[in-house]
């Protein structure tokens, strides 16, 4: 109790002297967003496990039949040309392959940007589409689609009806708006670290004059 009282006294003193910093712009400590196609699921710090610990999932579908998405921040250390040897587009062939999730890991899921109003691709959100159809990939290569507008995932993540809602109730995920620039960024492997710092800061930020910020 003495330690807690001392900490509270310190915090009150700091706040009275103007050194407790406000959270950076855009910082959110919780979210009231509902899951929907085109949104991110960000694993909370306490979520453990081989498949979903420290992951960011981009939702492709969420309705009464369940939820489907791809993990977007786990590069496999392989290039597209290694898993699809017939890839003729050099830039796309040199792009990384990501682990999309534990379901159907032998099926490649493509996320790409553009305007593809076709039944061979699922319109997810804005200018983002998803497909596993080889004809779509061939079309993009023939049109010299920029590699930075395409991502390839081995497998996907899936939830039965009501399953994701239960996980949200247990505090397993944050739900945030999907950011296309983050989704297709070269450093997508670091996406969880960047998002979790905004959604769940590890401590109170204290500013000291002429010194870097410190956290209590």
């Amino acid at each position: 109790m003495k330690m807690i009282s001392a900490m509270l006294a310190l915090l009150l003193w700091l706040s009275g002297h103007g050194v407790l910093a406000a959270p950076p712009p855009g910082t959110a400590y919780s979210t009231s967003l509902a899951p929907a196609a085109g949104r991110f699921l960000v694993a909370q710090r306490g979520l453990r496990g081989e498949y979903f610990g420290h992951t960011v999932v981009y939702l492709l579908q969420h309705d009464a039949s369940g939820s489907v998405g791809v993990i977007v921040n786990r590069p496999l250390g392989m290039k597209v040309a290694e898993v699809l040897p017939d890839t003729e587009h050099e830039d796309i062939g040199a792009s990384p392959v990501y682990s999309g999730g534990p379901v159907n890991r032998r099926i490649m899921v493509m996320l790409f940007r553009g305007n593809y109003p076709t039944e061979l691709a699922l319109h997810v959100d804005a200018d983002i589409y998803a497909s596993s159809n080889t004809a779509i990939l061939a079309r993009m290569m023939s049109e010299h689609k920029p590699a930075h507008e395409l991502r390839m995932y081995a497998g996907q993540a899936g939830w039965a009806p009501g399953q994701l809602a239960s996980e949200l109730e247990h505090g397993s995920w944050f739900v945030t708006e999907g950011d296309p620039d983050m989704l297709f960024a070269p450093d997508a492997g670091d996406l969880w670290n960047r998002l979790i710092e905004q959604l769940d800061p590890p401590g109170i930020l204290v500013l000291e004059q002429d010194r870097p910020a410190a956290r209590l």
Side-chain angles (χ1 to χ4, degrees):
M1 289 296 295
K2 290 183 179 180
M3 178 64 71
I4 295 174
S5 299
M7 285 295 295
L8 288 174
L10 172 62
L11 294 176
L12 288 172
W13 184 89
L14 290 170
S15 61
H17 286 73
V19 293
L20 278 183
T27 296
Y29 293 94
S30 63
T31 177
S32 59
L33 288 179
R39 289 179 173 170
F40 285 143
L41 299 178
V42 183
Q44 296 211 26
R45 294 183 188 276
L47 181 60
R48 306 296 181 189
E50 175 185 357
Y51 294 126
F52 293 115
H54 293 187
T55 61
V56 178
V57 175
Y58 184 67
L59 283 175
L60 307 179
Q61 175 185 332
H62 176 77
D63 54 31
S65 65
S67 307
V68 177
V70 286
I71 298 170
V72 297
N73 66 317
R74 281 191 174 169
L76 284 173
M78 302 176 66
K79 304 298 183 183
V80 171
E82 295 179 60
V83 295
L84 299 175
D86 294 333
T87 304
E88 298 176 358
H89 192 300
E90 291 185 3
D91 289 342
I92 291 178
S95 300
V97 177
Y98 291 79
S99 174
V103 181
N104 295 330
R105 285 186 285 184
R106 294 180 61 85
I107 302 296
M108 297 294 292
V109 178
M110 297 177 288
L111 288 185
F112 50 91
R113 305 184 76 168
N115 183 18
Y116 288 80
T118 169
E119 62 182 15
L120 300 180
L122 171 70
H123 180 216
V124 182
D125 186 51
D127 66 342
I128 300 175
Y129 291 77
S131 180
S132 294
N133 193 283
T134 55
I136 290 288
L137 179 59
R139 173 180 169 179
M140 288 189 290
M141 288 190 292
S142 68
E143 295 176 352
H144 300 285
K145 183 76 170 174
H148 65 270
E149 294 184 358
L150 170 70
R151 285 290 181 273
M152 304 285 284
Y153 306 90
Q156 58 192 23
W159 291 263
Q163 185 180 1
L164 181 55
S166 176
E167 293 182 12
L168 290 170
E169 289 178 2
H170 286 83
S172 297
W173 304 95
F174 290 108
V175 182
T176 73
E177 293 291 355
D179 185 325
D181 292 334
M182 287 185 171
L183 184 63
F184 291 93
D187 57 349
D190 191 46
L191 186 54
W192 183 84
N193 293 311
R194 286 179 282 142
L195 288 175
I196 201 66
E197 286 294 318
Q198 297 177 14
L199 294 163
D200 184 24
I204 301 171
L205 189 63
V206 177
L207 300 180
E208 298 182 66
Q209 188 174 3
D210 300 326
R211 293 186 182 181
R215 294 186 185 274
L216 291 179

